[in-house]
Amino acid sequence: MPFNRTDPLLADPLLALGKGIILVAQGLIAVAALALIIAIPGVVLFEETITAYLRTEFADPTFVVPVLAVIGLALGGLAVAILIFLFLQNLRRIIATVGQGDPFMPINARRLTAMAWLMLAVELVTIPMGALALYLLSIFEPDEGVAGATPGFDFSGLILVVTLFILARVFRKGAEMRSDLEGTV
């Protein structure tokens, strides 16, 4: 794609920066997701090798790798990666409409609503992931004092979800008001 100085994103450096950051983040998330997709069957296929190595490492001939917990944590990580990728895709599309000068569209209200649901799903997926992480920490790092730790709910994530639902309503109302205004002219 040739360089176009009339591109609305180039006219607003903040939008261009936001789009660039999101594209880089999506690329990194895609790489992480691919790594998890490869690692999950790898844990199953190389369970005996991993167990033998860890038995030597921990000097414990009875050590058993909690494969299901490791796979569960990796699957949760994969789910979060996919959800965040989709979240960023919606955000990138909203940025594009802002760059075009027309953000108050019904589609953006739907995108914001979808983003809210995606973040709520992330929050819900991370709860069992936190429990699995603490379980694995207690096995791999028993002296680190994780016995009293508990997986918690991230209230900042909940605030983001509520904010996104409210913004979706604002965009929906803005689109309705614009439509009503256009109808009266």
Side-chain angles (χ1 to χ4, degrees), residues 77-101:
L78 180 59
V80 168
I82 291 168
L83 293 167
I84 297 294
F85 186 91
L86 294 172
F87 176 91
L88 292 174
Q89 184 173 348
N90 279 304
L91 182 56
R92 192 168 40 88
R93 290 176 177 161
I94 290 171
I95 288 172
T97 63
V98 172
Q100 295 165 357

Side-chain angles (χ1 to χ4, degrees), residues 51-144:
T51 299
Y53 172 78
L54 290 174
R55 283 180 177 171
T56 303
E57 186 72 23
F58 292 139
D60 180 0
T62 62
F63 184 81
V64 177
V65 175
V67 173
L68 290 178
V70 171
I71 290 172
L73 191 59
L75 285 172
L78 180 59
V80 168
I82 291 168
L83 293 167
I84 297 294
F85 186 91
L86 294 172
F87 176 91
L88 292 174
Q89 184 173 348
N90 279 304
L91 182 56
R92 192 168 40 88
R93 290 176 177 161
I94 290 171
I95 288 172
T97 63
V98 172
Q100 295 165 357
D102 194 14
F104 288 105
M105 304 168 61
I107 188 73
N108 280 346
R110 289 191 295 274
R111 287 175 179 147
L112 284 163
T113 301
M115 290 166 65
W117 285 113
L118 289 165
M119 288 311 298
L120 182 60
V122 166
E123 291 300 314
L124 294 175
V125 168
T126 57
I127 293 171
M129 284 180 66
L132 283 172
L134 285 176
Y135 170 69
L136 289 171
L137 265 174
S138 71
I139 291 171
F140 289 106
E141 299 288 340
D143 298 332
E144 295 298 316

Side-chain angles (χ1 to χ4, degrees), residues 144-166:
E144 295 298 316
V146 295
T150 58
F153 188 78
D154 181 13
F155 284 101
S156 62
L158 183 60
I159 290 169
L160 176 60
V161 169
V162 171
T163 302
L164 287 168
F165 277 124
I166 291 169

